[in-house]
Amino acid sequence: MSKGKTTIKFTGGSLAGHVEENVNTRLLAPRIENQTGVWIRENDDGSAQIMSHGQPDSNWNYFKVEIYEKQERLSEQEPFIYKFVGQEEVSRCETTTKQGARCKNRAVKEQDNCSRHIKD
């Protein structure tokens, strides 16, 4: 493997056994999210649409992610292991901006708004 590159392996969750090679070591985050299943988008007319493919677009409203956390590496020869630790629901901030559009940020867990728009 070339310098600055590594292999990562996932344990548990839907990515169990998945291996990614030649990953830039500078991109190794302590936590990785993997979007799972369907996502919900809000149409321009206010209706909702359940999407079963693709990534959330600018009209996203809700999706779930699996959480994987990087484990301590046993040796330089071993791949980095990311262990499945659970799922989280991701909702969009409910705030309407000054421009009349809905904020595109994620709401804080178990809140209706993002950290910028949480009201005291």
Side-chain angles (χ1 to χ4, degrees), residues 10-72:
F10 294 88
T11 62
S14 67
L15 294 178
H18 180 76
V19 175
E20 286 287 332
E21 296 183 353
N22 294 314
V23 177
N24 187 324
T25 55
R26 291 180 289 166
L27 300 178
L28 294 179
R31 169 184 152 133
I32 293 177
E33 294 181 354
N34 177 47
Q35 181 194 325
T36 61
V38 300
W39 57 281
I40 299 174
R41 76 184 306 270
E42 185 176 325
N43 296 319
D44 293 337
D45 64 2
S47 64
Q49 186 174 3
I50 297 173
M51 306 296 289
S52 62
H53 60 281
Q55 294 296 311
D57 61 20
S58 62
N59 290 332
W60 76 275
N61 195 30
Y62 170 88
F63 58 91
K64 284 186 180 180
V65 292
E66 290 179 321
I67 306 300
Y68 293 85
E69 291 183 351
K70 184 168 68 169
Q71 305 300 294
E72 192 166 329

Side-chain angles (χ1 to χ4, degrees), residues 80-91:
F80 281 91
I81 303 295
Y82 279 86
K83 180 182 175 185
F84 173 74
V85 295
Q87 280 192 342
E88 289 183 7
E89 296 180 349
V90 179
S91 295

Side-chain angles (χ1 to χ4, degrees), residues 99-114:
Q99 293 78 23
R102 187 156 169 208
C103 176
K104 297 196 183 302
N105 295 332
R106 289 180 174 196
V108 173
K109 191 174 179 177
E110 300 181 14
Q111 299 285 325
D112 292 331
N113 297 306
C114 67

